Amino acid sequence: MSAEHGLDSRVSAIRTVALVGPSGAGKTLLLEALLAHAGAIPQAGSLERGNTVSDHDPLEKRLGHSLQSSLAHFTHGGIRVHAIDTPGAPDFVGQALPALEAADTALVVINAQNGIELMAQRLLTAAGERGLARLIVINKIDAPDADLPGLLAQIRSVFGRECLPLNLPADGARRVADCFFAASGDSDFSSVAEAHRALVEQVVEVDAAFVDRYLTDGDVDPRELHAPLEQALREGHLIPVCFCSAKTGAGMAELLAAIEALMPNPAEGNPPPFLEGKGPEPTPYPARPDPAAHALAHVFKIVADPYLGKLGVMRVHQGRVAKGGLLFVGHARKPIRVGHLFMLQGAKHVDVDEALPGDLCAVAKVDDLAFDAVLHDAQEDEHIFLQALDFPTPVHGLAISPARRGDEQKLWEVLARLVDEDPCLRIEQAGETHQTLVYGLGELHLRLLLERVRELYKGEVVTEPPRIAYRETISAPAEGHYRHKKQSGGAGQFGEVYLRVEPLARGAGFEFVDAVKGGTIPGAFMPAVEKGVRSALASGVIAGHPLVDLRVTVYDGKHHSVDSKEIAFVTAGRRALMEAVQAARPMVLEPIVQVEVTAPEHSIGDITGDLASHRGQVNGTRAAVPGSLVVQGLAPLAELASYQTRLNSMTAGQGRYTLLLSHYEAVPPNTQAALVSAFRGHEDD
């Protein structure tokens, strides 16, 4: 949508940006430089001194890099800018992706020394899919070995010809030359005049009237191009590229000016993808950045604050959120009162009276808040929700238990609190072993989780080597039957169940079908049968792993008018399912992950050979930064235990990799035999 006539001037003066990109790109220091340039802080902090606004967590200070998203804001030139600094390690993408739900513009930061890295590609694509305006920021242009002309050419080759320089380095990268408002000037490479012409032509292409003027007059005053520029940004027809150095300050004034003058306000960006409805096909809901409308805000971050309790960080999309006001959380029937309303400045909480569309704010001491919740002030808006993000599936597992017996509940509460903060962490109780399992995106993810657990739990924990998230399924139809009969004086227990199982397509999940006729199992007991079936699915049958991708049809049974009870049908359903699965050619499935390894060219042969020897499949290679290649392939997750150690030895510590769940497939027969044998041994014990 275009900027609305009569838009509240306070809303039109808001910009919300997310700084995303790989580790080492300099996002945190870039934000420091912006804050200092805008006068929000006296001077930029440094990672070495541990005094940056966004890396305020003690663990972040110790490690020297971001582990979670952090918010800051400043006002400059009459514009209020909200900025979200995000971590760049692939293991912490669960902190970076939600920032895209809260921003109108994604600043994709690239290290001039390292060139295009996987996380830059991944997040630029994700921002485009979310409909955000995108601005590529090339940082560290003062690095002595940076090939800036080559990097700009690579960006246009990889990301598309719509990536055009908004400015160019000048005076040996000590400053930058504007290419949008200035029609000529000096630069270190390329031509300001040519860059200006390319920008103007790219922008006017979206508006036929401006095309005619441009063809007639030969140029158009860029100050008249605001509306078509916003349209080009909305449509992805233009992705501007800015050069800067957070360290020297080169280009920082120009970057700040670009954010304020060229990037969209809340009404100029694409509308957020809100949906309305309870059924499988909800309809789009057109949220409006109007302070007078019903309030709609989306929680994109949860923080467990030691003093304020649970803190819900949200983006206001419609209406206004006011201190002391009443808000409903999702489907809740009882509203909450906004007792505390803050804007966050790193670790500091800045009290505010209200937040408008485009503002990022936080409410405290509301236990009902959860990640992805929608807050609203009208009961009829309870079925509005934001289209969910596609997060990577956590596949690295770790069994964790307290060193001191009796502390299981306390440890679970600490883990649950941390899982609340990170949508890419998962916690579960493992079937009959009663172990607590946590799943994350990688070794680093879990290592940092354990650091946080020890800090909050204040006690020792015991961990076991990462466990693979195996699954069980069946490969043929079969039937099962079980009669549960127990008589021990007085009323007994009786329940009998006949059922059949059938395999479903991989990834289809589980279906339960009630096909009983004639009331042989009364309808009141069918939920108990399903409960027993689901119990067996959760704990597994042959190897102790969850059963997936099957249909269970209950078609007959018997009951007793006096002795039939829920517990009897729970037991009968569970045991009938176990019997059927044993006869249905069961098999164990293992997770297969997409692997991307970035490494020096001379190591590629060793890497491909290593993957092949560990049941991996190499699908190809592509160029990365000069001197490096990216190997892409598929491999069983079980074969990648301690892979970073192997990779370090093959690349002298220069290799890095990312994993993304691809699919599940059957394990080799010898592996299945070992898993089944180990499970039977555990059961015997």
Side-chain angles (χ1 to χ4, degrees):
M1 67 190 240
S2 59
E4 298 176 10
H5 179 68
L7 176 70
D8 190 302
S9 60
R10 298 171 299 167
V11 176
S12 63
I14 294 174
R15 307 288 182 272
T16 309
V17 301
L19 286 78
V20 298
S23 290
K27 300 181 294 296
T28 297
L29 296 183
L30 194 66
L31 178 55
E32 286 293 303
L34 285 170
L35 289 167
H37 196 88
I41 56 176
Q43 62 182 30
S46 74
L47 300 178
E48 294 74 22
R49 293 194 300 270
N51 62 345
T52 61
V53 170
S54 57
D55 281 3
H56 52 81
D57 183 270
L59 207 50
E60 291 178 314
K61 293 181 181 181
R62 195 170 86 227
L63 297 173
H65 60 80
S66 304
L67 303 175
Q68 53 194 344
S69 61
S70 182
L71 279 66
H73 61 275
F74 58 85
T75 300
H76 182 260
I79 301 294
R80 178 160 71 224
V81 178
H82 294 275
I84 311 171
D85 180 24
T86 65
D91 282 15
F92 303 114
V93 73
Q95 291 286 321
L97 287 175
L100 302 179
E101 296 186 302
D104 298 309
T105 301
L107 304 188
V108 182
V109 186
I110 292 176
N111 184 333
Q113 291 175 293
N114 297 346
I116 299 173
E117 298 178 72
L118 179 63
M119 281 296 283
Q121 291 181 276
R122 186 174 179 182
L123 291 164
L124 187 97
T125 301
E129 291 171 348
R130 204 69 184 178
L132 270 62
R134 290 168 288 174
L135 176 66
I136 294 174
V137 180
I138 300 176
N139 190 20
K140 305 187 181 183
I141 61 172
D142 55 312
D145 54 347
D147 176 13
L148 300 180
L151 178 55
L152 181 59
Q154 187 186 27
I155 286 171
R156 300 199 69 206
S157 172
V158 173
F159 296 140
R161 310 301 290 178
E162 61 271 23
C163 298
L164 295 171
L166 203 58
N167 53 49
L168 288 167
D171 293 345
R174 287 190 292 273
R175 67 175 183 88
V176 300
D178 173 57
C179 301
F180 186 61
F181 293 106
S184 62
D186 298 324
S187 64
D188 291 343
F189 66 89
S190 190
S191 160
V192 170
E194 288 180 11
H196 171 80
R197 185 164 54 252
L199 277 168
V200 171
E201 289 178 356
Q202 191 78 0
V203 170
V204 300
E205 277 182 4
V206 302
D207 190 312
F210 277 109
V211 171
D212 291 340
R213 278 184 55 190
Y214 183 75
L215 293 174
T216 303
D217 302 339
D219 199 3
V220 176
D221 186 344
R223 288 171 295 186
E224 297 181 58
L225 293 178
H226 187 80
L229 171 68
E230 298 304 333
Q231 182 180 344
L233 292 172
R234 279 197 303 276
E235 296 174 355
H237 189 67
L238 172 65
I239 302 175
V241 180
C242 283
F243 291 84
C244 70
S245 169
K247 180 181 175 182
T248 67
M252 296 310 304
E254 290 78 5
L255 176 59
L256 184 56
I259 293 171
E260 294 170 356
L262 304 181
M263 295 301 106
N265 66 41
E268 291 170 332
N270 286 314
F274 277 106
L275 300 169
E276 183 177 23
K278 293 187 291 186
E281 295 184 7
T283 56
Y285 179 86
R288 294 175 294 116
D290 179 0
H294 287 179
L296 271 186
H298 174 257
V299 177
F300 67 94
K301 181 177 173 64
I302 293 290
V303 180
D305 189 279
Y307 305 107
L308 294 171
K310 184 182 283 189
L311 207 66
V313 187
M314 58 188 176
R315 156 77 185 250
V316 181
H317 289 280
Q318 178 177 288
R320 59 189 283 273
V321 173
K323 186 176 181 179
L326 295 177
L327 291 173
F328 295 94
V329 181
H331 302 290
R333 293 295 177 186
K334 187 178 178 182
I336 61 166
R337 185 170 295 280
V338 182
H340 302 272
L341 189 64
F342 309 102
M343 285 184 186
L344 300 179
Q345 191 75 326
K348 295 178 182 177
H349 303 137
V350 182
D351 283 288
V352 294
D353 292 326
E354 68 172 1
L356 302 173
D359 277 332
L360 306 185
C361 60
V363 292
K365 298 181 179 179
V366 182
D367 290 337
D368 294 339
L369 286 179
F371 174 77
D372 218 23
V374 169
L375 280 69
H376 54 93
D377 62 0
Q379 194 91 52
E380 62 264 31
D381 292 340
E382 64 176 343
H383 297 302
I384 296 174
F385 59 97
L386 198 63
Q387 181 180 316
L389 286 167
D390 187 15
F391 287 105
T393 304
V395 292
H396 285 258
L398 191 68
I400 182 171
S401 58
R404 190 169 58 236
R405 291 180 65 84
D407 271 7
E408 287 79 9
Q409 182 61 30
K410 180 182 175 184
L411 178 60
W412 178 271
E413 289 171 1
V414 168
L415 287 168
R417 180 174 157 189
L418 295 173
V419 168
D420 269 352
E421 297 182 17
D422 190 336
C424 288
L425 283 172
R426 186 163 55 86
I427 177 175
E428 66 179 42
Q429 290 291 130
E432 295 179 345
T433 66
H434 303 296
Q435 287 180 305
T436 298
L437 299 181
V438 287
Y439 291 95
L441 298 181
E443 296 169 26
L444 177 62
H445 201 191
L446 292 178
R447 195 159 67 241
L448 268 296
L449 170 73
L450 290 177
E451 292 263 9
R452 298 287 307 281
V453 166
R454 292 185 180 106
E455 174 189 315
L456 296 171
Y457 171 62
K458 302 192 187 309
E460 284 302 309
V461 295
V462 177
T463 61
E464 295 181 29
R467 293 188 174 184
I468 304 302
Y470 292 108
R471 297 288 181 261
E472 297 177 19
T473 192
I474 58 174
S475 56
E479 297 194 351
H481 159 248
Y482 189 77
R483 171 186 285 195
H484 178 71
K485 186 174 183 181
K486 190 175 181 182
Q487 197 76 37
S488 55
Q493 295 180 10
F494 181 84
E496 188 169 6
V497 170
Y498 290 84
L499 56 76
R500 71 175 66 92
V501 294
E502 306 162 73
L504 295 178
R506 195 75 70 242
F510 164 64
E511 292 179 18
F512 182 83
V513 180
D514 174 5
V516 171
K517 292 182 171 58
T520 55
I521 300 178
F525 290 125
M526 194 54 68
V529 176
E530 183 174 357
K531 183 178 179 181
V533 166
R534 287 185 178 275
S535 168
L537 294 179
S539 58
V541 172
I542 61 169
H545 300 284
L547 268 157
V548 296
D549 303 337
L550 73 163
R551 178 186 294 118
V552 176
T553 303
V554 180
Y555 63 88
D556 202 0
K558 290 182 182 176
H559 74 285
H560 188 277
S561 58
V562 176
D563 291 347
S564 283
K565 297 177 176 61
E566 283 191 11
I567 185 63
F569 279 101
V570 169
T571 303
R574 176 182 174 85
R575 298 298 291 271
L577 188 279
M578 293 172 72
E579 179 183 284
V581 168
Q582 292 282 9
R585 297 210 303 271
M587 57 185 181
V588 177
L589 305 174
E590 65 179 338
I592 306 298
V593 293
Q594 295 176 18
V595 190
E596 287 212 351
V597 185
T598 304
E601 288 183 28
H602 61 79
S603 306
I604 299 304
D606 291 338
I607 290 167
T608 56
D610 177 77
L611 284 173
S613 68
H614 287 82
R615 298 195 288 129
Q617 171 189 330
V618 176
N619 294 334
T621 60
R622 60 177 173 79
V625 297
S628 294
L629 289 175
V630 176
V631 178
Q632 299 168 305
L634 296 170
L637 182 62
E639 297 286 349
L640 297 176
S642 304
Y643 183 63
Q644 188 65 58
T645 303
R646 293 193 339 241
L647 188 59
N648 286 345
S649 67
M650 290 184 284
T651 65
Q654 298 181 63
R656 56 194 182 279
Y657 73 101
T658 60
L659 302 180
L660 189 65
L661 179 66
S662 172
H663 62 281
Y664 274 83
E665 65 181 43
V667 299
N670 60 333
T671 303
Q672 175 155 325
L675 291 169
V676 170
S677 175
F679 180 61
R680 285 178 180 161
H682 167 75
E683 283 190 318
D684 292 343
D685 291 343

